[in-house]
Amino acid sequence: MALEKTFVMLKPDALQRGLYGEIISRLEAKGLKFRAAKMFRFTPQLCREHYAHHAGKPFFPKLVEFMCSAPVLALVLEGKDAVNQVRAMCGATDCGKAAPGTIRGDLGLSVQSNLIHASDSRETAEAEIARFFTKEEVTGYPRQAEKSVHSEDELK
Ligand code: IDP
Ligand code: MG
């Protein structure tokens, strides 16, 4: 199975609460390869595009306001089954219902301010990476740890 990429974003509450290190540590310790990272501030227009599938829902205007309230940190991470693995690490959307051991379950209480976004499918990941990063910004480099994180079969 080839390695896959996923798109992750640390939301404004993660920045305000000083939780970047904690969250990034978990993703790093999992074995995921960091391919790209960028901090930026959402415009309402770009945020509405990112969350277009939620347009019209009651929470949408407040979600856009929240996401634009401070910078976010966008990441591209790579690994075996990375999309599902990172979603599992995030936990349920509502931090109050997310299982202990997950990022949201351990670090949050809110539905809206739930610290992290992660792509929900390979197709979404591709679209989200392309929305926020140029091809050149997604770095490529040999990682020494690759053969310790994955078996040879998994790297094919
Ligand atoms: P996800 O981030 O777990 O994929 P989605 O259902 O795609 O969750 O919702 C996108 C984001 O919108 C959530 O991460 C959260 O910030 C916010 N959100 C979702 N549902 C609610 C809600 O019922 N109230 C307030 N905010 C919500
Ligand atoms: Mg979602």
Side-chain angles (χ1 to χ4, degrees):
M1 178 201 277
L3 305 187
E4 68 184 27
K5 290 196 278 298
T6 190
F7 174 77
V8 170
M9 195 163 50
L10 305 197
K11 298 185 179 184
D13 53 332
L15 176 62
Q16 298 287 10
R17 294 180 56 204
L19 289 172
Y20 272 12
E22 166 74 30
I23 296 170
I24 288 170
S25 284
R26 290 176 181 227
L27 298 166
E28 207 174 19
K30 180 72 173 165
L32 293 155
K33 178 176 177 179
F34 283 63
R35 294 286 305 269
K38 177 160 57 180
M39 205 170 167
F40 69 93
R41 183 121 181 200
F42 262 116
T43 61
Q45 189 187 354
L46 185 59
C47 188
R48 284 189 208 104
E49 185 186 321
H50 174 66
Y51 281 126
H53 50 295
H54 291 308
K57 294 187 183 164
F59 62 82
F60 189 70
K62 288 288 179 198
L63 174 63
V64 174
E65 196 180 308
F66 160 62
M67 291 300 295
C68 296
S69 66
V72 297
L73 178 67
L75 304 169
V76 177
L77 304 178
E78 185 180 74
K80 178 175 167 246
D81 192 32
V83 170
N84 289 328
Q85 293 300 316
V86 176
R87 287 285 290 189
M89 288 177 76
C90 291
T93 303
D94 181 352
C95 295
K97 295 186 179 137
T102 64
I103 291 165
R104 289 164 171 169
D106 285 350
L107 304 175
L109 295 165
S110 169
V111 188
Q112 176 193 268
S113 302
N114 59 1
L115 299 160
I116 185 166
H117 164 85
S119 306
D120 58 13
S121 71
R122 274 190 179 212
E123 294 69 37
T124 313
E126 264 181 43
E128 291 179 338
I129 291 167
R131 179 175 299 127
F132 297 104
F133 290 98
T134 63
K135 280 208 171 107
E136 293 70 34
E137 285 174 327
V138 181
T139 61
Y141 59 97
R143 186 170 63 145
Q144 300 303 327
E146 213 64 80
K147 285 184 180 152
S148 304
V149 171
H150 298 101
S151 73
E152 271 183 33
D153 290 356
E154 291 163 343
L155 288 171
K156 275 179 195 155

